[in-house]
């Protein structure tokens, strides 16, 4: 059993009691709600005549199905139904809502940190598996299902079993064009998509500590792709600097100072005990791309696609199917793999540094004739900040579609979808068959710069082969 | 702990089986994202495995869920890492409303197993070989009864009894009828308020 880790400390502080199920009842510090997984839970609450127990610890947004093009009301089809359900539910319960009209709307895992709702030493839940993102701040953040959403709404708590803690230390300095995304794709590739089952991941080491908050979020975001329900990074000065400027503390330095001592108290002790430890040399990595249909099927951009028979036996069939679906040949590299769509967006990679990095690659170039390319900023605030820096111009001039904030083609629930067997270069987190809206669609996951390079070249490209242009505001 | 919400105990599930083979079957396959556009779960059962069951023109493809002989099945038999990917509870909801009362497999994604538990659907594990043997048996004997005993952690079919595994917390919750956590946790409201008040980041009443 782990001891003295952030996970242990935050868990203990939030434990209400041990339930007869053997699970712990944990108080939930922040419950984030979005339009797709919440209506059923509010419905169940109503069926039982219960009220929202802690509306002030709850915050709502719309992201999954909200249109990212034309936003005039009523929205088309199911989006309107879900939107109006949410509007009604939050009004009735008195829950804060980052409504599109406020300019604060965005992907739930972008707006929480952005507004300072996400803080170290909190327990955070949301009906979305990428809630692990918030672990970047040293919070314990878990994705939950609809019945658990009902639990949290009704009681302000959740029933959970404690997990083991694996520390993943990424040492060294990351090389050129190697980003947080590449680190996490590499971790998942090495440990497997189910390697984290039963574990929470603590990410540590120089390569992690030197990341900005956005990079840390990209890493924690994909913990779930590695099978870990949560992932976190101990808060440090980088974390505190971010928090200081958020809505939560900008006008309240006293409160900030007060909470900072709490945050410092919950970091993992130097002599903390872990259930497992993995070390990865970050300086060896190169940009990673996926060749298959699970996020664990990744390779370095100059590496060869594996022969299924060289893989562990339980991975061979999945690899064969994936290669058939993706139409790739073992022994080839992914370089030169033709793409039809470039998607720069999602809660993994649609924050300011992601857009800046991609803009540097795009500036002065044009999107390939055969590619439709889009940028979907993670939130309305990210969008506004990018426009203030002129990034939208750079993307537009190059031929990118500059869209409104939302999940968009990450999961293909709104109008942004792959068609037929289109192949996409995507900065999102899942390449499952059908994920981006078309059953025959093909998704290649990569970092935002690599997406930009693929958009320009019309094929998967090593971005290190494209010289960068300075972006003015940088 | 059964209260007026009428929480049932789930000590066993029995019925005929349906095998769905393959590792890493994710929740996008169990219920494709476009069927998430529903605000209630009613009627979602017919969309279980939709995209692997039907082609673009909605013609049925080869899939056990399309086969008449498995139509009344209630025990789903799967392989490894079933239910990985998105946390959507629509996945177990779709399976349950299709008619599944228990899932037996080599391993399950955690969130999926948790979502199943919240519906009172056990997720029971056994070794790869035992699962394959069970799948073969179900294939050859679609009318044979399979008995999943959650309390005893066994799966019985034909002359065979498998020593299966049920996660301890899950077993307790099902067998003692405490899987309806909402009712259970609501009864601790006072202790919850105390825990909340002890957290530095929760502003005490009055200064919010
Ligand atoms: S961007 Fe994608 S992964 Fe993130 S919350 Fe939206 S759908 Fe989920």
């Amino acid at each position: 059993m782990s001891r003295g880790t952030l996970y242990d400390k935050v868990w203990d502080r939030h434990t209400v009691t041990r339930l007869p199920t053997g699970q712990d009842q944990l108080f939930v510090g922040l419950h984030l709600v979005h339009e797709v997984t919440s209506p059923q839970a509010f419905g169940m609450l109503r069926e039982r005549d219960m009220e929202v127990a802690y509306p002030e610890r709850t915050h709502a947004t719309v992201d999954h199905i909200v249109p990212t093009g034309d936003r005039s009301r009523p929205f088309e089809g199911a989006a309107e139904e879900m939107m109006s359900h949410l509007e009604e539910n939050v009004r009735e319960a008195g829950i804060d809502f980052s409504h599109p009209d406020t300019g604060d709307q965005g992907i739930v895992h972008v707006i929480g940190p952005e507004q300072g709702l996400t803080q170290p030493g909190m327990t955070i839940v949301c009906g979305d598996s990428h809630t692990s993102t918030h672990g970047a701040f040293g919070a314990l953040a878990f994705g939950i299902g609809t019945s658990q959403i009902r639990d949290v709404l009704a009681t302000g708590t959740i029933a959970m079993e404690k997990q083991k803690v694996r520390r993943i230390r990424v040492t060294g300095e990351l090389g050129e064009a190697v980003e947080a995304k590449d680190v996490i794709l590499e971790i998942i590739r090495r440990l497997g998509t189910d390697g984290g089952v039963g574990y929470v991941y603590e990410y540590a080491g120089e390569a992690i500590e030197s990341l900005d908050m956005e990079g840390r979020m990209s890493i924690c975001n994909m913990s779930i792709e590695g099978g870990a329900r949560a992932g976190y990074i101990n808060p440090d000065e980088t974390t505190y600097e971010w928090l200081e400027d958020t809505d939560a503390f900008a006008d309240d330095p006293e409160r900030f100072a007060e909470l900072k001592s709490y945050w410092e108290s919950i970091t993992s002790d130097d002599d903390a005990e872990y259930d497992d430890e993995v070390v990865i040399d970050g300086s060896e990595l190169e940009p990673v791309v996926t060749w298959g249909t699970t996020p664990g099927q990744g390779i370095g951009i100059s590496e060869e696609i594996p022969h299924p028979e060289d893989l562990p036996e339980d991975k061979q069939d999945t690899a064969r199917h994936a290669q058939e679906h993706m139409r790739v040949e073992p022994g080839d590299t992914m370089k030169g793999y033709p793409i039809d769509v470039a998607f720069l967006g999602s809660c993994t990679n649609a924050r300011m540094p992601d857009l800046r990095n991609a803009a540097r690659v795009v500036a002065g170039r044009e999107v390939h004739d055969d590619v439709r390319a889009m940028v979907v900023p993670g939130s309305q605030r990210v969008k506004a900040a990018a426009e203030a820096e002129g990034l939208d111009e750079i993307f537009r001039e190059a031929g990118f579609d500059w869209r409104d904030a939302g999940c968009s083609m990450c999961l293909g629930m709104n109008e942004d979808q792959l068609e037929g067997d289109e192949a996409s270069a995507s900065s999102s987190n899942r390449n499952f068959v059908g994920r981006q809206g078309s059953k025959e669609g093909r998704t290649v996951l990569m970092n935002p710069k690599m997406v930009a390079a693929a958009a320009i070249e019309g094929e998967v490209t090593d971005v290190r082969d494209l010289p960068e242009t300075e972006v003015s505001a940088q | 702990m059964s209260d007026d919400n009428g929480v049932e105990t789930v000590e066993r599930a029995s019925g005929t089986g349906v095998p769905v083979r393959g590792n890493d079957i994710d929740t996008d396959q169990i219920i494709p994202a476009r069927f998430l556009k529903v605000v209630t779960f009613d009627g979602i059962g017919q969309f279980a495995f939709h995209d692997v069951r039907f082609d673009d023109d909605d013609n049925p493809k080869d899939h056990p869920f399309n086969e008449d002989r498995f139509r009344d099945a209630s025990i789903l038999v799967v392989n490894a890492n079933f239910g990985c990917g998105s946390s959507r509870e629509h996945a177990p909801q779709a399976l349950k409303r299709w008619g599944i009362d228990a899932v037996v497999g080599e391993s399950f994604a955690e969130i999926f197993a948790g979502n199943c538990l919240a519906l009172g659907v056990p997720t029971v594990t056994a070794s790869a070989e035992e699962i394959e043997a069970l799948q073969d048996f179900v294939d050859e004997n679609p009318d044979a009864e399979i008995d999943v005993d959650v309390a005893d952690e066994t799966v019985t079919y034909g002359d065979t009894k498998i020593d299966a595994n049920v996660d301890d917390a899950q077993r307790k919750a099902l067998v003692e009828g405490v899987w309806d956590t909402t009712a259970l946790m609501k009864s601790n409201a006072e202790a919850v308020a105390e825990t909340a008040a002890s957290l530095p980041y929760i502003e005490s009443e009055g200064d919010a």
Side-chain angles (χ1 to χ4, degrees):
Chain A
M1 266 327 250
S2 63
R3 202 183 50 82
T5 70
L6 179 143
Y7 180 68
D8 294 290
K9 296 185 195 183
V10 178
W11 185 280
D12 287 348
R13 294 210 58 151
H14 289 78
T15 302
V16 175
T17 183
R18 172 67 52 93
L19 295 168
T21 55
Q23 295 166 299
D24 283 336
Q25 180 174 3
L26 290 188
F27 181 73
V28 170
L30 175 65
H31 181 200
L32 297 164
V33 166
H34 66 81
E35 79 277 33
V36 170
T37 51
S38 69
Q40 305 88 351
F42 279 104
M44 291 192 262
L45 214 62
R46 243 174 241 127
E47 268 170 35
R48 292 171 159 217
D49 210 13
M50 289 176 173
E51 283 183 2
V52 178
Y54 289 87
E56 72 283 5
R57 308 299 322 160
T58 315
H59 191 99
T61 186
V62 279
D63 51 7
H64 279 69
I65 193 175
V66 72
T68 35
D70 177 9
R71 285 200 164 174
S72 46
R73 298 288 294 270
F75 300 152
E76 298 232 331
E80 180 59 31
E81 197 187 353
M82 293 191 153
M83 178 71 174
S84 42
H85 266 85
L86 186 61
E87 286 172 323
E88 194 191 315
N89 288 331
V90 299
R91 194 178 331 111
E92 215 170 87
I95 292 169
D96 278 345
F97 182 17
S98 290
H99 191 280
D101 296 345
T102 60
D104 297 332
Q105 173 266 341
I107 304 173
V108 62
H109 312 309
V110 177
I111 67 148
E114 192 171 70
Q115 299 181 22
L117 300 168
T118 300
Q119 294 170 15
M122 262 187 185
T123 43
I124 302 180
V125 301
C126 173
D128 185 279
S129 53
H130 292 95
T131 309
S132 56
T133 311
H134 306 262
F137 290 79
L140 291 192
F142 310 96
I144 55 175
T146 305
S147 303
Q148 290 172 302
I149 302 176
R150 181 193 63 196
D151 285 352
V152 181
L153 287 173
T155 70
T157 61
I158 183 170
M160 279 194 112
E161 259 165 285
K162 209 166 167 200
Q163 315 253 330
K164 291 182 279 190
V165 186
R166 171 180 292 142
R167 176 159 66 169
I168 301 179
R169 278 204 304 126
V170 186
T171 58
E173 200 179 317
L174 301 180
E176 187 198 342
V178 179
E179 300 188 1
K181 178 68 158 284
D182 304 300
V183 174
I184 188 64
L185 283 171
E186 181 70 22
I187 290 173
I188 300 166
R189 165 202 190 179
R190 290 203 199 172
L191 302 182
T193 47
D194 54 2
V197 173
Y199 284 95
V200 161
Y201 283 171
E202 176 177 307
Y203 303 99
E206 306 95 89
I208 301 287
E209 284 153 22
S210 59
L211 291 172
D212 57 18
M213 289 314 297
E214 289 87 349
R216 296 180 186 188
M217 286 189 253
S218 304
I219 301 250
C220 292
N221 175 271
M222 291 187 70
S223 302
I224 189 70
E225 266 61 59
R229 187 136 178 208
Y232 67 86
I233 295 167
N234 279 298
D236 59 12
E237 285 309 317
T238 308
T239 321
Y240 307 141
E241 267 168 44
W242 167 294
L243 285 160
E244 202 164 6
D245 294 334
T246 59
D247 310 8
F249 302 109
D251 299 325
D252 200 350
E254 269 170 46
R255 182 95 182 121
F256 177 79
E258 213 178 286
L259 284 182
K260 193 172 168 192
S261 57
Y262 168 59
W263 301 336
E264 284 166 345
S265 76
I266 49 89
T267 57
S268 296
D269 296 335
D270 289 340
D271 61 353
E273 286 168 22
Y274 297 87
D275 299 286
D276 189 32
E277 181 159 66
V278 171
V279 181
I280 290 177
D281 182 354
S283 65
E284 278 179 354
L285 305 185
E286 55 171 354
V288 178
V289 294
T290 56
W291 51 264
T293 54
T294 82
Q297 291 169 326
I299 42 170
I301 183 66
S302 52
E303 275 176 77
E304 290 175 6
I305 297 163
H307 289 269
E309 59 273 22
D310 295 339
L311 296 171
E313 216 187 323
D314 60 324
K315 300 275 179 268
Q316 296 184 0
D317 268 351
T318 317
R320 266 181 219 110
H321 290 144
Q323 294 182 350
E324 204 177 300
H325 180 86
M326 295 299 290
R327 295 188 229 137
V328 295
E329 292 295 328
D332 290 352
T333 70
M334 282 302 284
K335 266 192 240 179
Y337 183 79
I339 65 135
D340 309 291
V341 172
F343 172 62
L344 184 52
S346 92
C347 58
T348 316
N349 282 124
R351 299 178 181 86
M352 273 307 278
D354 301 319
L355 303 193
R356 277 192 203 117
N357 283 338
R360 269 189 227 139
V361 176
V362 167
R365 298 197 165 96
E366 268 178 38
V367 168
H368 192 275
D369 280 346
D370 302 333
V371 174
R372 58 187 176 104
M374 63 173 87
V375 185
V376 185
S379 70
Q380 290 181 315
R381 289 193 192 182
V382 168
K383 188 178 188 213
E387 287 172 357
E389 278 186 22
L391 301 184
D392 59 322
E393 297 272 312
I394 294 171
F395 284 115
R396 278 212 188 94
E397 266 166 33
F400 276 83
D401 192 4
W402 179 253
R403 301 185 71 80
D404 264 316
C407 297
S408 172
M409 204 189 271
C410 175
L411 88 166
M413 264 188 97
N414 75 355
E415 68 277 20
D416 302 338
Q417 306 202 343
L418 291 184
E419 283 159 29
D421 65 353
E422 279 181 333
S424 81
S426 181
S427 69
S428 57
N429 46 42
R430 286 188 171 152
N431 52 348
F432 300 143
V433 172
R435 171 73 176 181
Q436 293 193 290
S438 165
K439 287 186 272 179
E440 284 86 41
R442 294 165 289 149
T443 302
V444 184
L445 301 177
M446 57 187 79
N447 80 36
K449 276 185 166 176
M450 290 284 286
V451 171
I456 305 293
E457 298 295 315
E459 57 185 36
V460 175
T461 302
D462 187 342
V463 67
R464 294 172 297 185
D465 297 341
L466 287 183
E468 281 186 27
T469 319
E470 268 314 301
V471 173
S472 52
Q474 263 298 281
Chain B
M1 229 358 193
S2 285
D3 57 6
D4 26 296
N5 290 304
V7 182
E8 318 153 44
T9 58
V10 182
E11 274 160 53
R12 59 175 354 102
S14 17
T16 60
V18 51
V20 172
R21 294 174 202 261
N23 293 337
D24 302 308
I25 292 182
D26 57 67
T27 50
D28 279 79
Q29 277 185 58
I30 301 171
I31 185 84
R34 61 182 188 286
F35 300 116
L36 270 56
K37 298 179 181 178
V38 295
V39 290
T40 76
F41 289 129
D42 303 346
I44 200 174
Q46 58 184 305
F47 303 121
F49 293 113
H50 188 277
D51 289 355
V52 277
R53 280 169 66 194
F54 301 97
D55 67 13
D56 282 339
D57 304 317
D58 277 335
N59 298 313
K61 299 200 283 193
D62 257 3
H63 191 278
F65 270 47
N66 285 341
E67 290 182 45
D68 256 357
R69 59 198 186 113
F70 295 129
R71 212 183 40 209
D72 298 322
S74 58
I75 311 293
L76 175 60
V77 191
V78 300
N79 301 96
N81 200 25
F82 186 79
C84 57
S86 147
S87 62
R88 60 189 68 157
E89 192 173 315
H90 305 63
Q93 284 279 3
L95 295 176
K96 183 169 180 182
R97 283 162 205 256
W98 188 86
I100 297 302
D101 292 331
V103 197
V104 182
E106 196 186 327
S107 63
F108 295 93
E110 264 172 74
I111 297 185
F112 176 81
N115 286 338
C116 284
L117 176 62
L119 302 179
V121 174
T123 45
V124 178
T125 57
S127 73
E129 297 73 43
E130 286 165 330
I131 293 295
E132 271 167 43
L134 176 56
Q135 287 176 326
D136 293 344
F137 174 84
V138 172
D139 236 338
E140 282 151 30
N141 309 280
D143 296 325
E145 178 100 344
I146 299 166
D147 185 49
V148 179
D149 192 319
V150 179
D152 276 359
E153 301 189 62
T154 56
V155 176
T156 313
Y157 64 95
D159 305 328
T160 312
K161 184 179 238 177
I162 308 178
D163 227 349
N165 250 310
V166 184
D167 171 81
D168 283 349
Q170 181 188 136
R171 185 167 139 258
K172 200 162 164 22
L174 291 170
V175 172
E176 293 177 16
V178 289
W179 51 272
D180 183 347
T181 42
T182 308
L184 192 60
M185 295 199 295
K186 203 156 173 56
S187 63
N188 297 332
E190 241 169 74
V192 174
E194 272 167 37
T195 305
S198 75
L199 290 163
Y201 64 84
I202 305 274
E203 309 207 36
S204 53
E205 265 168 75
D207 54 54

